[in-house]
Amino acid sequence: MLDALFRPRSIAVVGASTDPTKLGSLPIKFMLGADFKGEIYPVNPRASTIQGLPVFGSVKAIGKKVDLAIIAVPKELSRAAVADCAEAGVRAAVMFTSGFAEVDAPGASAQREITALARSAGMRVLGPNCLGVVNFAEGMVASFHPAFALTEKRAGRIGLASQSGAFGGLSYNLARERGLSFSYCVTTGNEADIDIAECVSFLANDASTEVILLYLEGCRNGPALIEALKTARRKGKFVIAIKVGRTASGAAAVASHTATLAGSDAVFDALFRQYGVYRAQTIEEFLDVGLACAVGKPPRNASLGLVTVSGGVGVLMADAATNLGLEVTPLPEATQARVREILPYAGPRNPIDVTGQVVADPKLFERGLEIALAEGGFGGLVTFTGALPRNPEHAPMLKGVFASLRERHPDVSLISAGLSTPQFRDELGALAIPSFEDPSRAVRAAAALRFFAERSGETGRAEQRAHPPLPEGPMGEVEALRALGAAGIPVVESHLAPDAKSAVDAARKIGFPVVMKIASPDILHKSDIGGVLLGLASEAEVLKGFEELLARARRAHPRARIQGCLVAPRIEGGTEIVLGTNLDPVFGPVVMVGLGGIFVEILHDISLRLAPIGIEEAHAMLRELKGFALLEGARGRLPADIEAMARALVDLSSFAHAHAHEIVSCDINPFLVLSKGAVAVDAVIVRNS
Amino acid sequence: MLDALFRPRSIAVVGASTDPTKLGSLPIKFMLGADFKGEIYPVNPRASTIQGLPVFGSVKAIGKKVDLAIIAVPKELSRAAVADCAEAGVRAAVMFTSGFAEVDAPGASAQREITALARSAGMRVLGPNCLGVVNFAEGMVASFHPAFALTEKRAGRIGLASQSGAFGGLSYNLARERGLSFSYCVTTGNEADIDIAECVSFLANDASTEVILLYLEGCRNGPALIEALKTARRKGKFVIAIKVGRTASGAAAVASHTATLAGSDAVFDALFRQYGVYRAQTIEEFLDVGLACAVGKPPRNASLGLVTVSGGVGVLMADAATNLGLEVTPLPEATQARVREILPYAGPRNPIDVTGQVVADPKLFERGLEIALAEGGFGGLVTFTGALPRNPEHAPMLKGVFASLRERHPDVSLISAGLSTPQFRDELGALAIPSFEDPSRAVRAAAALRFFAERSGETGRAEQRAHPPLPEGPMGEVEALRALGAAGIPVVESHLAPDAKSAVDAARKIGFPVVMKIASPDILHKSDIGGVLLGLASEAEVLKGFEELLARARRAHPRARIQGCLVAPRIEGGTEIVLGTNLDPVFGPVVMVGLGGIFVEILHDISLRLAPIGIEEAHAMLRELKGFALLEGARGRLPADIEAMARALVDLSSFAHAHAHEIVSCDINPFLVLSKGAVAVDAVIVRNS
């Protein structure tokens, strides 16, 4: 779909200048330098040749098919330029020009006008206010950023999509310094037409791209981004994202409780977890993980072997690995004894500290590595070789060790840490061994590779069931519980008693003691008005309680429609959790779970996913909770029925998904989880008004 | 004290070789290259000159005062070498030789022998199995590590003390690449004599050292390390530590509950918090913070201004700053309007996004920075200038901007982020502006500088009171509460009733309902045997309860000495916290506080300090707790009496400190904090047996 943008064969440069340093001239210079094989048509009414190419007075005047137009004219001329392109049948345009929606309301209006013009002609637009797009394999540079003055034509497997131009340029610059090669870079700027989701989709479907680096500030089209990420995962591609604005979401506090908890950055975080996207917090981590994915091999399991020339750095790496969820499993005792035979001074456990002795006899290093690989059962190895790779004598020796290791173990995950040189780094890269100078970063890269290995394959399928329509009118507790019950969620067996006598009948049926609550679709916060009575132990108490509840409700809400009282059993024991859904403006319904009390309120210990979810995802949500140990039976409790909780989450997500257009939010609080089974005790559903 | 080691004027090199690549020859080569002005005496019975210097057959044969001996002989010859040095009156020795305590028991024994020999002659020993020591100002290189082949003699203000040789060499290598300069590097190896604490003490007292980089795996002499860190703080020096083995402490689980919580890495962490040591987690962070301290200025407050050429990187930095506890305060509205006048496309809030326009007009950048500094009220600024410093046209312009800024604001904290060159970095360094390529790391450096600024000045003084002696014999709850009460800690008003009648009298005096517990110095875990009865509401219940408790105690512990029962009031409300002390083998008594229930047991949310502490430190401990909001009155509670809690912590720490030789651990659980006051409800004290 975006072929004209990413793989154009003919490019018009509107606003090309005879001054080679101007925005409109740089792409031409870059493409000529990068040996672009397609056609380049400079467009400028007041020039005849630019950089040796014949110039056209307008795009229409070119008279040939034009795939892509680069629009580099001042803002005042941009509308005319777009019109010219549209009339000439150009398929896509990249607009560098700024001064539109990013500046003020008139700018936004001008941007809408231009977009409408392009749309009516079927022309796609990237930008405005963007740094453009680069196709490295073809030397196609529709960008003026100096980073893309390609001095060497080397295409790689990393695609970069960034909403920020400067961030894109910076990342590319830093990545090149580290020897990384790219398939495409695209920056989307104001996203008047083409948005980040479409670019991710293009990269996910592009055969040459294996790693997608993604910089996000937000997203206009949630479902499209979800689809693109699903595609990437299905095709086994690695997606690494930086999403900025993590803490801004905290600042933009929202009134409603659930909304605060589910602030939009938290929803992006849920999206990333759900679709196996690695979320990086810094540019350094972004590129480190990109490098690991582009170069390295996936670890077979979470156990990491560490082979080091420094004991101290070994401990440092072991700490880092443990903190990142990897296991630093010791070598078997017998293997340790063998290591000690070969390397008498070595620390043979894991980290395997081969000490500086390896300088004298590199074969020892090789044998140490070989034993670790053969007998350690490790999913992968990280080696630390200190300053040896910098030493002209030792570097070839080390390279030889790694090369022969790779020959014997073609699929094992190896990562190298230590002071290095670009040459050593590239030689190891050719052996599918990513290398890092900082040992902690090398370990983080190993953990990232494991992150992806654990998330390979399809996303767990969510159930897409039919749900009965919601009842008309406002929903009180009665209707909410009934609707949730119909969705498969276990709800408390409660009876709506229109009068005191039926309340007594219901209580007798349920068995004493009972709980009684005022029933009214107009009273959502019952406890606030004393509308809940717990532990009514006799008929007399039920009779008296019924009148009391009605009186309280009438005093507090004289105009509320009162349905009577709800009578329900008092449920003993269990763990209170909170289930909920919320409607995210970008991604639609989001499902939430947290432990009741301080876990949600003080520690904000909740887990979110986009609805609908499958049962595996529901289990993953529960395991994410800091308080999960409590559900598993810590502090002498009975283990809670985790399957029942997960099942309820799946059903709730399906319910929220089915009613996405009608339900704003849903709160089940408390959802009581017993050692066998679970039950929704109270629920509030807020409908679209 | 260690002058002979760090500032020797005469050095014997025992085991100097005619082969210039051997361990014993490298220090000579390095010192001749670094123009060491003192005397160097190669010692070798089978050579006459080495590197042009006359050789001696033994140290004794030198016949002159020798401050320092470098011992680089094989292990077999090491004892004789030490004896030779000792007899010659050498003041200190550096032993490179390995194969001692780090290898096996015979090695440890040989090490002890050598140490005793040196001690008896008053000779200090660094090592064995160490990489030695370097004094950069004097070109004194008592090390064979290739990193110390000093190509340029440039002494700086950073002192590095490392227990690991390889780590020390690596850190020095990486630091040099980043333009950092050092006063001293010392690695302590096996610490047969001189330990890391003594080295820190030397650096803390050394006038040329302002920043101390410290690598620790453990510590032999806790009190000496505390003293050294106190000195460093008093003298306004920055101490940055890497302490490895964070997660190993988790693995080495200890049986006792408190001991598990206060595992020794947690105690190091407490030490660092208490004495204002910045704990780095990676080598990168270690050196980044070292760089910031060596070059930069302290921020005046926690509000950080961000000036950026990229909006995206600006948000990234704002996220990082907020996560690290800095405030990204917006510019005042009027100032924002002025920024917009000067830079029409700028994002004027904070981050202040000056956009790529500054390339065209650097004066705009300068004015933007100037306004931010004058009107933002920021404690410091971090700027991000993208790739501009790499551009030969833009770098001098930027440098000019920073230079004139520094001239007008000599004391403001400025940090630069962006792609850079060594030259640009050094020029900014000369202006006291640390620079980093990664913007997140620049922000972390700003946060580290703020960390130190907040901890400047003396540590809050702890009370050193006299405490009455503990009673003889084992301590039950009665004795424990009495002892704690005598130490000033509020304890529950409980009465020891030897018989049922006195129990009733006590209950009547206290007022019903009461709590009653079995009283026996031999029964520490009363609840386990049903030895606690809550809410006894009448005389009859007290009478019956007394007999019941005695019966249960006799059944469970037939041989326990029973004192009767404790009768105490039932205290309503309040928040349960846990106070405790524990005896760390290195640092002595440690005081602990945590919120009761899940906070301690599931979340391990505790705070530790070395006893004794002052009231400010006690408040800091409480504020560290994740559940602190609960104490402040979250979830509709009354705020707890935080001063009473802090006071109790101070008293408990003083008590534990005074009885360090008698008390192994002390647990006050629960310590009930009310909205006014607090009270210890139960306590267990374990004495040294």
Side-chain angles (χ1 to χ4, degrees), chain A residues 437-483:
Chain A
E437 298 221 321
D438 186 280
S440 309
R441 285 164 64 183
V443 170
R444 186 175 61 191
L449 285 176
R450 185 63 205 154
F451 169 93
F452 285 110
E454 278 169 0
R455 282 158 190 80
S456 62
E458 289 278 327
T459 323
R461 278 180 63 89
E463 267 178 59
Q464 303 277 9
R465 288 187 282 129
H467 285 267
L470 294 180
E472 297 289 319
M475 296 180 75
E477 181 179 351
V478 182
E479 295 79 9
L481 285 174
R482 200 175 288 149

Side-chain angles (χ1 to χ4, degrees), chain A residues 166 174 177 215 245-247 282 284 310 312 315 319 323 390 419 438 440-441 597-599 601-603 634-635, chain B residues 166 174 177 215 245-247 282 284 310 312 319 323 390 419 438 440-441 597-599 601-603 634-635:
Chain A
L174 288 168
E177 275 179 19
Y215 169 94
R246 273 182 293 159
T247 56
T282 66
E284 188 171 271
S310 154
V315 188
D319 277 344
N323 277 338
R390 288 270 176 92
L419 300 189
D438 186 280
S440 309
R441 285 164 64 183
I598 56 148
F599 281 98
E601 294 180 35
I602 304 282
L603 304 167
R635 303 190 70 210
Chain B
L174 288 168
E177 276 180 17
Y215 169 95
R246 272 183 293 158
T247 58
T282 67
E284 189 170 273
S310 154
D319 277 345
N323 277 338
R390 287 271 177 91
L419 300 189
D438 186 280
S440 310
R441 285 164 65 184
I598 56 150
F599 281 97
E601 294 181 34
I602 305 283
L603 304 167
R635 304 190 70 211

Side-chain angles (χ1 to χ4, degrees), chain B residues 550-586:
Chain B
L550 258 65
R552 287 179 186 171
R554 288 202 190 97
R555 264 200 307 279
H557 296 284
R559 301 174 61 182
R561 285 160 298 175
I562 310 277
Q563 299 163 306
C565 286
L566 270 180
V567 188
R570 192 174 75 179
I571 299 163
E572 304 281 346
T575 303
E576 289 193 0
I577 67 169
V578 182
L579 302 181
T581 74
N582 198 22
L583 206 58
D584 185 82
V586 173

Side-chain angles (χ1 to χ4, degrees), chain A residues 222-242:
Chain A
L225 184 58
I226 291 175
E227 276 313 310
L229 295 177
K230 275 187 184 168
T231 303
R233 181 155 174 178
R234 197 172 53 242
K235 300 204 169 189
K237 306 200 173 185
F238 306 94
V239 185
I240 300 126
I242 282 206

Side-chain angles (χ1 to χ4, degrees), chain A residues 303-672:
Chain A
S303 169
L304 184 68
L306 297 166
V307 179
T308 175
V309 299
S310 154
V313 174
V315 188
L316 190 75
M317 294 196 293
D319 277 344
T322 308
N323 277 338
L324 291 167
L326 298 174
E327 292 151 28
V328 185
T329 323
L331 283 180
E333 291 288 343
T335 310
Q336 291 191 33
R338 287 188 52 212
V339 171
R340 220 182 268 109
E341 268 171 39
I342 304 168
L343 291 150
Y345 290 179
R349 204 170 174 274
N350 186 27
I352 300 146
D353 176 9
V354 297
T355 76
Q357 291 174 83
V358 295
V359 175
D361 188 351
K363 275 285 155 206
L364 294 181
F365 182 46
E366 185 165 3
R367 287 182 65 192
L369 282 169
E370 190 57 66
I371 292 177
L373 275 181
E375 303 179 22
F378 302 127
L381 279 190
V382 175
T383 64
F384 174 73
T385 51
L388 298 182
R390 288 270 176 92
N391 184 311
E393 279 171 55
H394 300 141
M397 167 279 272
L398 277 181
K399 204 215 140 184
V401 168
F402 283 117
S404 78
L405 208 67
R406 176 53 82 210
E407 210 175 294
R408 290 192 303 280
H409 304 276
D411 291 322
V412 76
S413 178
L414 292 170
I415 295 180
S416 159
L419 300 189
S420 184
T421 62
Q423 191 202 341
F424 185 79
R425 176 197 71 201
D426 291 343
E427 285 172 352
L428 259 58
L431 298 168
I433 305 174
S435 55
F436 298 88
E437 298 221 321
D438 186 280
S440 309
R441 285 164 64 183
V443 170
R444 186 175 61 191
L449 285 176
R450 185 63 205 154
F451 169 93
F452 285 110
E454 278 169 0
R455 282 158 190 80
S456 62
E458 289 278 327
T459 323
R461 278 180 63 89
E463 267 178 59
Q464 303 277 9
R465 288 187 282 129
H467 285 267
L470 294 180
E472 297 289 319
M475 296 180 75
E477 181 179 351
V478 182
E479 295 79 9
L481 285 174
R482 200 175 288 149
L484 293 168
I489 295 161
V491 297
V492 73
E493 171 214 357
S494 66
H495 298 258
L496 177 56
D499 51 49
K501 186 177 169 306
S502 8
V504 170
D505 290 346
R508 213 183 286 134
K509 203 164 138 194
I510 292 166
F512 292 96
V514 295
V515 173
M516 205 154 65
K517 303 185 246 187
I518 193 72
S520 161
D522 303 321
I523 304 176
L524 292 185
H525 301 288
K526 292 179 286 285
S527 325
D528 296 356
I529 62 152
V532 180
L533 296 174
L534 304 169
L536 302 176
S538 66
E539 292 189 14
E541 283 183 36
V542 169
L543 279 171
K544 187 163 158 264
F546 190 93
E547 300 309 331
E548 183 58 38
L549 285 176
L550 257 65
R552 287 179 186 172
R554 285 201 193 98
R555 262 200 307 279
H557 295 283
R559 301 175 60 181
R561 287 159 294 176
I562 311 278
Q563 299 163 306
C565 287
L566 271 180
V567 188
R570 192 173 74 177
I571 299 162
E572 304 281 345
T575 303
E576 289 194 359
I577 68 168
V578 182
L579 301 181
T581 74
N582 198 21
L583 206 57
D584 184 81
V586 173
F587 294 101
V590 174
V591 63
M592 183 271 268
V593 63
L595 269 85
I598 56 148
F599 281 98
V600 166
E601 294 180 35
I602 304 282
L603 304 167
H604 311 297
D605 178 27
I606 60 166
S607 174
L608 303 178
R609 289 294 187 278
L610 310 184
I613 58 167
I615 189 79
E616 287 164 37
E617 205 65 40
H619 277 285
M621 287 178 78
L622 294 170
R623 280 194 306 273
E624 264 167 41
L625 296 174
K626 294 190 195 90
F628 184 65
L630 214 60
L631 299 173
E632 280 186 310
R635 303 190 70 210
R637 284 163 182 257
L638 283 176
D641 189 338
I642 289 167
E643 183 64 25
M645 253 183 291
R647 201 60 249 162
L649 266 171
V650 169
D651 289 334
L652 180 63
S653 81
S654 172
F655 174 76
H657 179 69
H659 298 298
H661 298 293
E662 295 168 86
I663 292 179
V664 175
S665 73
C666 173
D667 269 294
I668 307 181
N669 186 4
F671 185 73
L672 212 56

Side-chain angles (χ1 to χ4, degrees), chain B residues 43-96:
Chain B
V43 176
N44 183 333
R46 287 178 310 279
S48 57
T49 64
I50 286 175
Q51 298 181 49
L53 297 172
V55 175
F56 299 84
S58 69
V59 180
K60 277 199 298 290
I62 295 170
K64 293 189 196 154
K65 175 169 171 288
V66 173
D67 290 335
L68 179 68
I70 295 171
I71 298 179
V73 298
K75 191 189 158 197
E76 309 78 65
L77 305 177
S78 57
R79 195 189 180 290
V82 169
D84 179 21
C85 292
E87 287 166 34
V90 168
R91 293 170 60 211
V94 170
M95 286 190 73
F96 297 161

